[in-house]
Each structure stands twice: as structure tokens, then as C-alpha cells.
Amino acid sequence: MIFHHIKKYRTLFFLTFLGGICQVQAQEKEEKKEKENLGTEVVNVVKPYTPTISDAFKVKATPKLNDSVNTTKKKVTYSIFSVPVASTFTPAKGKAAAVKKAPKLKLYDNYATLGFGSFTSVLAEFYSNIQISRTEDFGVFLNHNSSQGGIDNVLVDDFFYDTRLNLNYGARERDLSWRADLDVRHQVFNWYGIAPSIIGIPGPADAPILNEDFDVTHSYFTAGVNGNLQFKDAIFKEGKATIRYFGDSESSSELRAIVQPTIEFPIAGENITTAFTVDYVGGSFANDFNATLEESNHSILNVGINPSLVILRDDLTVNLGVAGFVSLDSENSATDIFVYPKITASYRVVGDYFIAYAGLEGNLKQNSYYDFANENPFIAPSLAITPTDQQYDGYLGMKGKLSNSVSYNLRANYASESNKALFLFNPALVPSQVAFLNGNSFSVVYDDVETLGIFGELNFDVNSNFKMKVNAQYNSYTTDGQMEAWNLPELKASLFADYQITREWFAGVNLFFVGERQDLLFANNPLDILAQPQITTLESYIDVNAHVGYRFNDRLSAFGRVNNILNSDYQKWLNYEVQGLQGMIGATYKFDF
């Protein structure tokens, strides 16, 4: 029995040992196989971090009440009895309140104005705009303003006429727009500023009698063609051109031609703008004031280029540019080259309420007989024409709004100009048959002038019915060759106001103040050879003008004007007094064809 058990255990032990050996051999074979198939790659497993929100822990147990008194809820049973009620109330639907709007004035394409006033003055205007198509229009403007004179203490005629006709045509295309106009003007003036002291001076045998029969009338005639062209989204941005003829009744003539193309292209995200200028003026004067009545000519060509770069950075705007000119004077065989700065900058310190700005600019100004005659119609037809070298004008200022209805602008500047044109009174030694040689005309002299100026302006835009503007300019001049900056006032101020009183009534006022000016007065006695010219001062003056009107309907309105309300006999130019108190009444009629 014992032997049987021993045999049984030995058999079990042998089977266990054999199974272990087989398992070890199988494991060694498997490891060997894995070593043979294992590579040398390195695998990096990257998993983005994904945040999760854990569920909030909630208490699921129902709290137990340990109240000593537990009241049992009583069940309530109720019923609703509907009782009909007689009512005549009907709720009205809501309606939005309407905003009261002022009636819109109808705009007309044409109007005509006619007025008559004191000093036998006449005002006539006609304007018409014809819409040829959706993109084309044609306009006509005719203006006439005249007065028969009547100024006190004037020896000769003092009437004037001013008539102008303008025809214009324009077109607007998808990629460009252009406009051209023909401008014709005729003006008649009189050299009436003859000093009474010249009457007693003995003259030659053919000396004229200086009275109302002595002809001092002269006239100007202007004819010009202007055009401008603008492109959208093109390198060629715009172009302007002017060709103008100007002549007078004294056989003087002048031709002016101006071409100004502008191109714009981007570089490195910034726009580069380049403006070109070709400006020619040429003419002749049949009279030579300083010698015999001989002809004098002028012919000047200015060619310029002005590249500029605009930099915009938030509230800062900077314009960096430079201008260069070549000036050719063919009559004097002279060629000059000029270079000017063109730098401006502005910075919004406090939005639209405070904007600081500054600049340093220069330019070559082309002077012309046309410009001089428009500024002073009593000049002699014998002038020296040369450009003004505006070397630099440096300024610093601030502008903005004091409130939503009040804006301001303050500026200080210092400028230097070479060959600045100044009007100077012409002397008269004896009475002359030549109308403008009787101490009643002006010449143009040139000098180097430095100017220190201060400018201030306030604009009041209270509402659509009331607007007012007030400004003042103070200048201090320093001359080089001349004793004074002739006929330039140190102080100038103006006020403009318009008020729409009611829908029918409207009114306005404008005021001008001009400070003292200096001119050079020559002795009229030819026997006094030692007499030296004396500086004379023209007094300052205030010119107040007002107008009032009544609108009968959308088409017809009447107006009344009063000029020189203070009835001042001031002199705008030496020996040239103005008309006193003047009045005019008239009417304007608007219509469509």
C-alpha cells in the first residue's frame, strides 16, 4: 500500500518536472524569436492635453426633518364659476409717433437775379444747368455788375463795368470724370485817383484840362479755357490745364498756359504722389512808364516737379515732399534752379477737439499782369514781370472743436520771400495827355521781404439756421531794399454771419477791417528839385455790409443790400476813395425749363 502511494507521487512529480522543462524551452524560443524581429526605431507618442470637467458631487440623500410638530397638509378642493360681463371697451392698436419734418425745398436748375441800387448800380445774374444725360451736364453762368459812379471830390469819370460769361461741360464715367469751361470777361475802370493839387501845376502847351471830359477810361478783356481730368484706381490720378489770354485797351497783351498732371503709385505699402507743373507766361506792354512809350516784353517758363509721401499712423499724418523748379527767362537770357521743402504734419492730440499741426513749405510763384490787375485795377500798363521766390514758410498751429457747434484755428508762421511784388504809387510831375501819367496809377516793385504772422479763426455753426465766422491776421514785415512793405496792412480782420430767421425771412452781415498801410508820395512841383518823396499813411477802415431777404415761395424771393453802412470815405488805394453808403434792392426767380 505504501509502495503504491510512493509510485503514484513519483509519477506525478515526473510529469510536473517534464511540463516545466517544456514551458521553459517554449519561453526561450519565444524570446529568441522576439529578439530576432525587434527593430531599433524610437516611437514618440504625443497626445494633446484635453481638459475635462469632473461631475459635481451631488447629495442624493433626502434630509430628515427633526421637527417636533409635523402638520399634515389639508387638501383643498375648489371650483371656478365663469360669469359673463357686459363691456363696450375695445382696445386700440398701438401706433408709432410720427417725426415732424420740415418741408424739403425744391431745387431748380436755373435762376435769374436782377437788382438796382444807388449810384445807378445794376446787378444781373443768370445761371442754367442742363442735364444732357445721366452722366453729362452743361452749364451757363452770366454775371453783370456796374455803377455809374458819383464819388465826391473826383475830377474825372469814376464808373465801372464788370461782365462775365462762363460756359462749362462735364462728364462722369465709371473710371474717370472730366470738366471743361470757357471763361470770358470784360471789365471797364477809370484812373480817377487824380490829386486836386496837380491842377495848379504849369504844364506843356498840350497839357490836358483835368475835368470830367478828360478820358481816363481803360478796360480789360479776358478769355480762357480750363479743364480738369480725374481717374479712379489708376496711376494717373488727375490733370489740370489752363490757357488764358489777357489784354487791355492800352495795347497790352499776355498769354498764360498751365499744365499740372499728377500721378500716384504705391511703394512698400505707401502711396507716392508726384505732381508736375509747366507754367508759361508771356506778354508785352506797349508803354514804358519810366522812359518813352516803348514796348517791353516778358517771357518766363517755369517747370517743376513735386514728389511727396503720405504717412498715416493712427492719429499722426505726415506728408514728406520736396519741390524743384527750373525757371527760364528768355527775354533776359537767365536760367535759375529752385528747390523747396514740402513738409506738413498733424497729430490728433484729443480727437477732433485738439489737432496740432506744423509745416515747412516753399514755392515758386509765377506773377502775371492778369493777377496784378485783378488785385489792383488801377495799375499802369507798364510793369516788370518776374516770379516770386517763396523760399520757405514755416508754421505751427492748432485747430479743433471747442464744442459741437464751435471750431477754432490758431497759427503762427514765419516766411521769407525773394522778389515779393509790392504796389507803389506812381509820381506825376506835370499834367499829361497819357491817362495813367497823372499821379493816378501804380507800378510794381520787388523786394526781399520777411514776414512774421499770427492768424486766428472761430467758426460758429449753432444749427442749420445760424452760422458765423470770425478771423484776424496780424503780419509784421521786414524789407531789404524798400523803406516799407508798400500797401500791405499789418492787421486784417473779417466777420461773416448768416441767419435763417424763419422759413421766409433770411439775413446776413459781413464786416471787414483793414489796418494802416504805407505808400510813397512824390512832390508834384517840378520846380522843387530838392523835394524828397514822403512816406504817407493810409488810414485804417471798417467796411460793414448787410443784406436781408424774403422768400415768397420756392421760386421767387426778394432781397435788399446795404454796403458801407458807416458811410466811410476811406481810400483802398492812395487817392482812390470808395463810394459811400450804398443800397440795392432786387429779386431772384428760380425755374426749370
Side-chain angles (χ1 to χ4, degrees):
M1 189 70 170
I2 295 173
F3 176 78
H4 175 74
H5 284 291
I6 293 173
K7 184 179 182 179
K8 181 177 178 180
Y9 288 136
R10 187 174 56 188
T11 303
L12 181 61
F13 175 79
F14 176 78
L15 292 174
T16 301
F17 178 77
L18 182 62
I21 294 175
C22 293
Q23 184 176 359
V24 171
Q25 292 179 349
Q27 185 175 357
E28 290 179 351
K29 291 181 179 181
E30 186 67 24
E31 289 178 355
K32 183 178 182 181
K33 184 177 182 181
E34 289 179 356
K35 291 181 179 180
E36 293 176 353
N37 297 330
L38 185 62
T40 60
E41 294 183 6
V42 178
V43 179
N44 295 324
V45 179
V46 180
K47 181 180 180 183
Y49 172 71
T50 305
T52 58
I53 300 176
S54 302
D55 293 336
F57 176 74
K58 299 179 180 180
V59 180
K60 298 181 180 180
T62 303
K64 295 182 180 180
L65 297 176
N66 295 324
D67 198 349
S68 59
V69 179
N70 292 328
T71 305
T72 305
K73 294 182 179 180
K74 185 177 180 180
K75 185 177 181 181
V76 179
T77 303
Y78 58 89
S79 60
I80 299 175
F81 298 94
S82 299
V83 179
V85 178
S87 175
T88 59
F89 172 74
T90 302
K93 296 181 179 180
K95 185 178 180 181
V99 178
K100 187 178 179 180
K101 298 181 180 179
K104 187 176 181 180
L105 293 176
K106 178 177 173 56
L107 300 178
Y108 295 91
D109 293 331
N110 317 279
Y111 78 85
T113 298
L114 184 63
F116 300 94
S118 57
F119 297 94
T120 319
S121 57
V122 177
L123 172 66
E125 282 187 4
F126 172 77
Y127 175 78
S128 177
N129 183 73
I130 302 172
Q131 196 70 30
I132 301 175
S133 65
R134 188 174 62 87
T135 60
E136 298 173 288
D137 64 271
F138 176 76
V140 179
F141 177 70
L142 176 64
N143 173 269
H144 173 81
N145 188 15
S146 64
S147 174
Q148 297 305 309
I151 302 175
D152 295 336
N153 303 320
V154 173
L155 301 175
V156 292
D157 290 332
D158 59 339
F159 61 85
F160 75 88
Y161 295 89
D162 188 356
T163 305
R164 179 188 176 192
L165 173 65
N166 179 272
L167 306 176
N168 60 83
Y169 176 85
R172 300 170 302 278
E173 306 295 340
R174 185 175 67 176
D175 298 328
L176 63 93
S177 61
W178 63 275
R179 180 167 294 278
D181 68 89
L182 171 65
D183 201 10
V184 179
R185 190 175 187 181
H186 182 241
Q187 299 168 283
V188 179
F189 297 96
N190 284 277
W191 283 299
Y192 65 87
I194 300 176
S197 59
I198 197 176
I199 297 178
I201 300 176
D206 61 346
I209 300 176
L210 300 179
N211 55 26
E212 60 183 8
D213 295 328
F214 181 59
D215 186 12
V216 291
T217 302
H218 64 288
S219 60
Y220 299 116
F221 177 76
T222 307
V225 178
N226 307 293
N228 64 78
L229 179 65
Q230 294 181 340
F231 286 88
K232 296 180 180 179
D233 301 327
I235 295 179
F236 185 85
K237 185 178 180 181
E238 63 178 353
K240 299 178 182 179
T242 297
I243 300 177
R244 180 178 61 240
Y245 168 83
F246 181 71
D248 62 19
S249 57
E250 302 297 320
S251 301
S252 305
S253 63
E254 183 181 74
L255 181 65
R256 182 83 178 270
I258 306 173
V259 179
Q260 295 176 310
T262 302
I263 62 174
E264 184 179 79
F265 52 90
I267 295 180
E270 304 290 350
N271 287 332
I272 304 295
T273 302
T274 303
F276 301 90
T277 300
V278 179
D279 190 346
Y280 170 78
V281 60
S284 62
F285 295 102
N287 304 295
D288 185 358
F289 184 86
N290 295 318
T292 59
L293 300 182
E294 296 180 355
E295 182 175 338
S296 60
N297 302 322
H298 60 279
S299 178
I300 302 171
L301 174 64
N302 294 337
V303 180
I305 182 173
N306 173 210
S308 62
L309 167 66
V310 178
I311 300 175
L312 301 175
R313 296 294 184 271
D314 297 330
D315 294 327
L316 177 65
T317 302
V318 179
N319 190 328
L320 301 176
V322 63
F325 286 89
V326 176
S327 182
L328 305 174
D329 187 346
S330 59
E331 289 295 326
N332 297 314
S333 301
T335 301
D336 294 306
I337 298 176
F338 303 90
V339 179
Y340 302 102
K342 291 284 188 178
I343 303 172
T344 62
S346 65
Y347 182 72
R348 294 179 178 270
V349 182
V350 187
D352 293 334
Y353 292 94
F354 180 25
I355 302 174
Y357 65 93
L360 181 63
E361 300 182 270
N363 193 30
L364 183 63
K365 179 183 178 181
Q366 182 79 287
N367 294 311
S368 66
Y369 183 33
Y370 170 84
D371 295 329
F372 290 146
N374 275 274
E375 186 175 355
N376 182 356
F378 309 111
I379 57 176
S382 174
L383 304 175
I385 305 296
T386 189
T388 296
D389 177 14
Q390 298 175 333
Q391 297 171 342
Y392 60 85
D393 182 7
Y395 56 88
L396 179 66
M398 60 181 181
K399 60 183 178 179
K401 299 191 302 183
L402 298 177
S403 66
N404 290 331
S405 58
V406 181
S407 61
Y408 68 92
N409 186 9
L410 299 174
R411 182 181 71 243
N413 75 297
Y414 184 81
S416 177
E417 298 174 274
S418 179
N419 287 331
K420 182 178 178 63
L422 304 171
F423 292 107
L424 183 64
F425 185 70
N426 282 327
L429 299 180
V430 294
S432 172
Q433 290 284 359
V434 180
F436 59 86
L437 295 183
N438 291 282
N440 55 348
S441 64
F442 296 82
S443 61
V444 174
V445 296
Y446 298 90
D447 195 12
D448 296 342
V449 180
E450 295 181 351
T451 306
L452 175 64
I454 299 175
F455 172 80
E457 183 178 68
L458 285 175
N459 281 281
F460 300 87
D461 193 355
V462 179
N463 50 46
S464 59
N465 295 327
F466 179 74
K467 294 179 175 60
M468 185 173 70
K469 180 172 70 172
V470 182
N471 61 56
Q473 174 77 48
Y474 173 79
N475 291 323
S476 177
Y477 302 101
T478 302
T479 58
D480 183 29
Q482 300 292 327
M483 292 181 287
E484 297 285 347
W486 308 119
N487 286 290
L488 293 181
E490 287 189 347
L491 180 62
K492 296 175 65 176
S494 61
L495 180 147
F496 303 90
D498 287 292
Y499 182 45
Q500 186 72 37
I501 305 172
T502 64
R503 186 177 182 274
E504 293 81 17
W505 287 97
F506 57 92
V509 63
N510 55 70
L511 180 150
F512 302 95
F513 172 81
V514 177
E516 294 181 347
R517 292 136 291 141
Q518 283 72 40
D519 208 326
L520 197 60
L521 185 61
F522 292 82
N524 287 326
N525 188 354
L527 300 178
D528 188 1
I529 60 176
L530 298 178
Q532 297 294 323
Q534 300 294 324
I535 297 177
T536 183
T537 300
L538 281 73
E539 296 181 355
S540 60
Y541 64 87
I542 299 178
D543 192 345
V544 182
N545 312 285
H547 68 271
V548 64
Y550 182 81
R551 188 175 291 108
F552 297 98
N553 50 50
D554 291 343
R555 292 178 178 267
L556 181 63
S557 62
F559 65 87
R561 299 177 182 175
V562 182
N563 296 331
N564 197 1
I565 295 176
L566 301 181
N567 195 27
S568 302
D569 56 352
Y570 63 86
Q571 296 182 14
K572 186 174 182 180
W573 303 100
L574 182 60
N575 291 342
Y576 281 89
E577 293 186 359
V578 300
Q579 296 176 346
L581 179 65
Q582 309 155 46
M584 174 178 285
I585 58 174
T588 299
Y589 183 72
K590 304 175 184 179
F591 59 95
D592 286 333
F593 288 119

